[in-house]
């Protein structure tokens, strides 16, 4: 994935949050675009183990989380704490826009 410029990230955040009036609405809007654009499922490596990211959710107090599974185990991990998956899934740029937006 090519590294996005600050201007590109600013434009993506502005596009996602155009109708949002406060920080919570902006967070909700960013979750919506990530949910709409991020190709799921995809595999990622967390602490040396391969997990499958099956969904993204907005959780109070946690922000946007990736729902990960490995075998019968399930775990929500902050999407910004998820290492960059290889190959990078389609739509990952929206996660980078969210990272850019987070204060």
């Amino acid at each position: 994935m090519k590294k996005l410029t600050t201007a590109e990230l600013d434009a993506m955040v502005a596009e996602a949050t155009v109708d949002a009036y406060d920080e919570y609405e902006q967070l909700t809007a960013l979750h919506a675009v990530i949910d709409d654009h991020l190709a799921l499922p995809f595999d990622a490596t967390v602490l040396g183990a391969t997990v499958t990211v099956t969904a993204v959710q907005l959780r109070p107090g946690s922000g946007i989380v990736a729902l990960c599974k490995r075998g019968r185990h399930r775990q929500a991990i902050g999407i910004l704490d998820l290492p960059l998956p290889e190959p990078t899934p389609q739509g990952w740029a929206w996660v980078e826009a969210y990272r850019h937006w987070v204060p």
Side-chain angles (χ1 to χ4, degrees), residues 10-60:
D10 285 341
M12 291 175 75
V13 170
E15 177 185 338
T17 62
V18 67
D19 292 327
Y21 294 104
D22 61 21
E23 191 172 295
Y24 181 75
E25 286 184 6
Q26 292 173 354
L27 176 61
T28 302
L30 286 161
H31 168 257
V33 296
I34 290 171
D35 193 41
D36 286 346
H37 291 91
L38 187 59
L40 296 169
F42 63 86
D43 289 340
T45 303
V46 177
L47 296 175
T50 300
V51 300
T52 300
V53 176
T54 58
V56 292
Q57 287 184 343
L58 180 58
R59 292 202 173 168

Side-chain angles (χ1 to χ4, degrees), residues 5-13 30 80 94-103:
T5 67
T6 299
E8 290 170 320
L9 293 167
D10 285 341
M12 291 175 75
V13 170
L30 286 161
L80 299 181
W94 288 104
V95 175
E96 294 304 321
Y98 172 54
R99 182 183 315 280
H100 177 72
W101 173 82
V102 169

